[in-house]
Amino acid sequence: MTATVTVAVPATTANCGAGFDSLGMACNLYNHLTLTLSPGESLIIEGTGEGSDNIPHTRQNLIVRCVEQLLAAVGDKRRGIAIKFDNRIPLSRGLGSSSAAIVSGLYAANCLVEKPLSKQELLSLATAIEGHPDNVAPALFGGCTIAYMADGKANCLVYQPKQEVILVAAVPNFHLSTKKAREALPAAVPFGDAVYNASRSALLVGALLSGESAFLADALGDRLHQPYRAHLIPGMEAVFAAAKQAGADGAVISGAGPTLMAFVTAGAAVAERVGEAMSAAFAKTGASTTIHRLSIDTQGVRRA
Ligand code: HSE
């Protein structure tokens, strides 16, 4: 039988400083996907917005592969797939575009099957496709997430921050693949750096849950991945310093970068100044930027 659904999926920011491959947040910037399933073998792929010029129009398309995986997981035999997307999340910039594609494909297909999977089961499937859970978890559940692997299975705890946090994303005009950014990481880190990150990761969650934002400046430190990726994002330290100087609580690499993300609890006017300061600091390296002032999406993927 033919059936159609439209879903909206949020952008996500992962790591959030010290919480490498674990902490994440959903942001109010969305891709939309309309999926139609039908009998037969037809395949239609149409799209507008970010990346629409470069997306494969075959069954290799990531969204199509995710739709097919979901159908296989529930034993649905339909092979006729039509997708129409409208993308607002920039590609390969550290804002979870691949997770958005994966989650939107799985979730949309799940809306159209007789016996849908739970969100927890979707998290397992999505993590297996993405390779790590920290973007797919907030894309699915919304809010702030602590994702982790246990016995090969992804789990996540979802929470909402007590105080409003504005996320100022400075998106530079160059791409950085997650693969390349992961290849820059060392095989082992000094024990002291692991201790530093364990404390900051816990402190960040505590500060967000309690609303004690004075701790955010310390909580947004990281020694596990950012120092090793700095050379891939020219001007990173200067952009962090400019954001703090303009009133941000702190700033981090969003996911694997190259987007840099400032956390602002001092309100909209400060967030505007922080965006300008980050943009000016990036400009000194020759990079132009798009600034997004985002809030935390509390719902995750949903029917639109
Ligand atoms: N935790 C991942 C990384 C997020 O930093 O490599 C990017 O998808």
Side-chain angles (χ1 to χ4, degrees), residues 10 41 71-72 76 84 92 107 114 134 159 175 188 190 194 197 199 215-216 219 235 258 281 284-285 292 299:
E41 290 284 328
L71 296 178
D76 190 309
K84 191 170 186 177
S92 295
Y107 186 84
E114 212 166 292
D134 50 338
Y159 67 98
H175 298 93
N197 264 59
S199 63
F215 285 104
L216 283 178
K284 287 189 183 147
T285 69
H292 295 280
Q299 260 188 283

Side-chain angles (χ1 to χ4, degrees), residues 38-43 59 68 71 76-81:
S38 55
E41 290 284 328
S42 62
L43 177 68
R59 288 197 184 258
E68 288 183 338
L71 296 178
D76 190 309
K77 299 273 182 277
R78 281 174 293 185
R79 290 270 298 161
I81 296 174

Side-chain angles (χ1 to χ4, degrees), residues 14-15 19-22 98-99 130 132 134-135 178 181-182 185 225 229 255-257:
N15 301 328
F20 183 78
D21 273 2
S22 174
S98 65
S99 288
E130 177 74 324
H132 39 86
D134 50 338
N135 286 106
T178 299
R182 289 180 90 85
L185 301 177
H225 74 110
R229 290 171 162 174

